[in-house]
Amino acid sequence: MIRFSEVYKRYPGGGDALKNVGFRLATGEMAFLTGHSGAGKSTLLKLITAIERPTRGQVWIGQENISKIAHRKVPFLRRRIGIIFQDHKLLHDRTVFDNVALPLVVAGLRHQDIRRRVRAALDKVGLLRKERNYPLQLSGGEQQRVGIARAVVGKPPLLLADEPTGNLDPSLSLEIMDLFAEFNRVGVAVLIASHDLELIKQLGYRQLVLSEGELVAGGDSR
Amino acid sequence: MRPWLIRHLQVFFYSLGQLWRSPWGTLMSVAVIAISLVLPTALYLALEVVDDLSGQWHSGAEISLFLEPEVSDQAAINLAKKINQRPQVASVDYISATAALEEFRQKSGFGVALDLLDKNPLPGLLRVLPKDNQLSSIQAKAWLLEFSALPEVDQAEYDYAWVQRLQAMVQIGQRLGLIFSILLGGGVVLIIGNTIRLAIFSRRQEIEINKLIGATNGFIRRPFLYSGMQQGALGGLFALAMIYAALSLLAPAVVRLAGTYQSEFTLQIVGWIELLLLPLLGGALGWAGAWLAVGRHLREIEPG
């Protein structure tokens, strides 16, 4: 699903954010991306979503090499990836339903289909009763679940999560991780950046460990 | 309905709703746009009226010879024949003092007052129509000198000169109108561009999120373009209302003025189609302004 091959990323005026990173994430696989802050986790996720381009090396998503992807193709890449953020990135002036519907509206689905799929996604994260609420009326954990529903509503083959449990207490964090595991069981590949090592150990999925821009564990064995 | 049409309609009503939700801001920019559109339109309409009026004198390229009161009908007719023999003269009409008085009595409504006069105050008149539709001013001057030197003629007048002057002024006015239109049209574009720019910045986060979940630039652009177009078109509608209000205030006064000149002239110069152009023009200018703002600023907003 994801393949990094000898990827370097250097920001102008800075050092190497990523150095010679190589790994694969198989279709339907779930893994964690760990490391200290500043180790390059965010940069790696930005390369996958084409927010940044690698300085050297190749990034493959599915069958597509996105190292030099054209601007106009980026939206269609992003529609195949569900992204979950630490700060949820919800629109506060729209209801839960409208927030979750956004990726489908963007993709131009028909109204009836949008309705059906949004409700299915909200049902999966257990928030169907709150579809008419506004995000600020929900708790932090609930807001994160709205974010997850929005990420999965388009049925992408790949989910990316950037510190999805950063602001949540341990029991809520476990709930959220269970939710990811559930999507993984139905064949969605999941990559979660997190530094909640306790929780990760508990769950027992593969770990990619970044340290100062280098992949020190879980990468390609070369 | 086709899906793309539905999507466009959705965006159309969505951006209308956005305008409705901030009524004061919308009202302000729409009012500014309306005023910018009213000014050149009013100028254009005023020129249209003047042009219309001067057109009525367009055929007045003739020379009037007012005869001395003691010239008899026979002498006047002889003079008319003599002048008519000139190669450049198309025709000469003689209007006797009696006929002139009769005409004046009918048209002016001063009949009773005229009866009180013991003698006809009006002179006889020869109307000389040149072959060329318009005399050059030099030629006209030469003729006037020549005719006024005739013993039978009291006064010779060529009343086309002021029409020419008026038309020249109308032309200057039209140029001015064009310049105003361009300047104020540019103003509308910039006003809307700025409004849209502010809207883009206030919805920065929304744009970022949309980009992250796979919105194309076209999708993100669309509501802003619609918003600009709607503000422009609303401004055009407001301008239309203002002009109608102004015309209905002016019309009775104009009719009264025209009445004193025995003219049937009324303020009916603008057809519906011409006025529908205003909202259309406003919409187009708004679209252009939004396009400018969107082109400049949407690219700057990238998720990072």
Side-chain angles (χ1 to χ4, degrees):
Chain A
M1 190 71 236
I2 305 176
R3 182 155 69 84
F4 272 57
S5 161
E6 295 171 33
V7 169
Y8 289 76
K9 176 65 192 179
R10 170 176 295 192
Y11 289 108
D16 285 325
L18 291 177
K19 280 179 258 178
N20 196 21
V21 172
F23 73 94
R24 287 156 197 271
L25 185 79
T27 303
E29 188 185 356
M30 176 155 156
F32 283 98
L33 179 65
T34 66
H36 299 290
S37 356
K41 299 192 298 277
S42 298
T43 302
L44 195 147
L45 293 182
K46 283 177 186 173
L47 290 180
I48 296 173
T49 51
I51 294 171
E52 300 284 353
R53 314 290 159 96
T55 315
R56 264 171 63 191
Q58 293 183 342
V59 178
W60 292 76
I61 303 295
Q63 302 300 313
E64 191 179 4
N65 181 354
I66 64 159
S67 328
K68 294 194 171 68
I69 188 171
H71 276 289
R72 62 189 165 76
K73 285 187 178 168
V74 170
F76 304 98
L77 167 73
R78 290 183 184 154
R79 287 179 198 177
R80 301 189 341 245
I81 305 172
I83 312 173
I84 293 121
F85 308 89
Q86 180 174 4
D87 58 354
H88 325 312
K89 288 203 193 294
L90 301 176
L91 296 174
H92 296 306
D93 60 343
R94 305 210 199 161
T95 62
V96 166
F97 182 96
D98 289 341
N99 267 284
V100 175
L102 211 53
L104 304 180
V105 173
V106 158
L109 262 71
R110 294 192 320 160
H111 193 65
Q112 303 92 297
D113 297 336
I114 291 176
R115 206 171 171 69
R116 190 171 45 77
R117 286 171 71 170
V118 168
R119 298 188 132 211
L122 280 173
D123 193 29
K124 267 184 224 153
V125 300
L127 283 177
L128 194 48
R129 284 183 308 120
K130 308 242 173 170
E131 63 173 347
R132 284 166 197 274
N133 287 67
Y134 286 88
L136 290 179
Q137 298 170 319
L138 306 180
S139 70
E142 285 173 328
Q143 286 185 36
Q144 190 53 287
R145 282 191 279 163
V146 174
I148 294 171
R150 187 183 64 190
V152 301
V153 75
K155 296 185 180 161
L158 172 63
L159 282 183
L160 293 184
D162 190 3
E163 304 283 359
T165 61
N167 298 325
L168 304 178
D169 63 44
S171 69
L172 272 177
S173 299
L174 189 61
E175 249 177 59
I176 295 289
M177 291 304 185
D178 280 342
L179 208 47
F180 285 125
E182 220 173 281
F183 288 115
N184 178 240
R185 273 197 290 279
V186 296
V188 180
V190 184
L191 183 63
I192 303 168
S194 172
H195 52 234
D196 194 345
L197 295 175
E198 285 291 308
L199 186 62
I200 294 167
K201 223 176 283 172
Q202 212 176 319
L203 293 166
Y205 289 94
R206 177 179 153 206
Q207 276 188 54
L208 298 157
V209 185
L210 275 172
S211 175
E212 294 182 356
E214 286 183 90
L215 204 52
V216 293
D220 287 348
S221 44
R222 266 167 295 127
Chain B
M1 264 196 285
R2 290 165 191 280
W4 64 263
L5 186 60
I6 293 174
R7 241 173 288 147
H8 274 268
L9 280 178
Q10 277 170 348
V11 177
F12 182 86
F13 287 110
Y14 169 77
S15 51
L16 257 191
Q18 291 274 329
L19 291 181
W20 185 248
R21 245 166 281 165
S22 54
W24 281 113
T26 304
L27 202 65
M28 294 282 266
S29 57
V30 165
V32 173
I33 293 160
I35 291 169
S36 308
L37 290 173
V38 160
L39 291 177
T41 311
L43 187 61
Y44 165 77
L45 292 180
L47 290 173
E48 193 92 320
V49 172
V50 175
D51 208 28
D52 226 38
L53 282 175
S54 72
Q56 295 181 4
W57 283 291
H58 215 287
S59 56
E62 61 181 29
I63 288 174
S64 305
L65 306 179
F66 297 98
L67 304 180
E68 297 284 356
E70 64 274 5
V71 176
S72 68
D73 278 358
Q74 194 49 50
I77 289 168
N78 287 341
L79 180 63
K81 275 182 186 152
K82 215 167 81 189
I83 292 174
N84 210 0
Q85 278 160 6
R86 287 163 174 262
Q88 280 165 298
V89 172
S91 68
V92 180
D93 283 336
Y94 173 56
I95 297 157
S96 70
T98 331
L101 182 66
E102 198 46 47
E103 191 184 352
F104 185 63
R105 188 196 299 279
Q106 275 172 12
K107 284 193 177 169
S108 70
F110 285 123
V112 182
L114 290 173
D115 288 340
L116 294 176
L117 296 172
D118 49 359
K119 78 181 194 350
N120 186 352
L122 296 175
L125 172 67
L126 287 183
R127 291 204 313 209
V128 182
L129 201 65
K131 268 188 181 142
D132 298 330
N133 211 7
Q134 289 180 21
L135 284 178
S136 74
S137 52
I138 300 166
Q139 211 176 0
K141 258 179 208 154
W143 280 30
L144 284 182
L145 272 177
E146 208 185 320
F147 287 140
S148 47
L150 292 170
E152 295 94 334
V153 173
D154 176 31
Q155 208 178 342
E157 268 179 18
Y158 181 55
D159 55 1
Y160 192 65
W162 74 270
V163 175
Q164 264 178 329
R165 258 178 240 140
L166 184 68
Q167 279 175 342
M169 284 197 287
V170 168
Q171 259 175 12
I172 291 173
Q174 279 169 340
R175 292 282 158 81
L176 271 178
L178 189 68
I179 292 167
F180 276 145
S181 305
I182 291 169
L183 284 178
L184 291 167
V188 170
V189 169
L190 293 181
I191 291 161
I192 292 182
N194 200 41
T195 311
I196 297 296
R197 189 179 66 92
L198 294 177
I200 289 171
F201 283 128
S202 76
R203 289 167 66 192
R204 193 186 186 100
Q205 215 209 349
E206 183 182 338
I207 293 170
E208 270 184 35
I209 292 172
N210 272 316
K211 285 196 172 183
L212 277 173
I213 61 176
T216 57
N217 283 333
F219 179 90
I220 294 170
R221 210 183 286 139
R222 217 170 288 149
F224 294 110
L225 293 181
Y226 270 108
S227 176
M229 189 185 68
Q230 285 162 352
Q231 288 179 51
L234 280 177
L237 278 178
F238 266 54
L240 197 61
M242 286 187 204
I243 284 170
Y244 257 86
L247 281 184
S248 55
L249 278 178
L250 276 176
V254 169
V255 169
R256 224 172 300 138
L257 180 68
T260 65
Y261 284 98
Q262 279 95 43
S263 163
E264 307 260 307
F265 183 79
T266 51
L267 273 182
Q268 279 184 335
I269 5 103
V270 260
W272 275 105
I273 295 169
E274 258 175 304
L275 281 181
L276 277 181
L277 279 176
L278 264 186
L280 281 179
L281 185 72
L285 290 175
W287 181 279
W291 187 268
L292 273 182
V294 162
R296 260 191 72 72
H297 299 293
L298 273 195
R299 238 171 295 138
E300 289 170 11
I301 300 176
E302 276 292 330

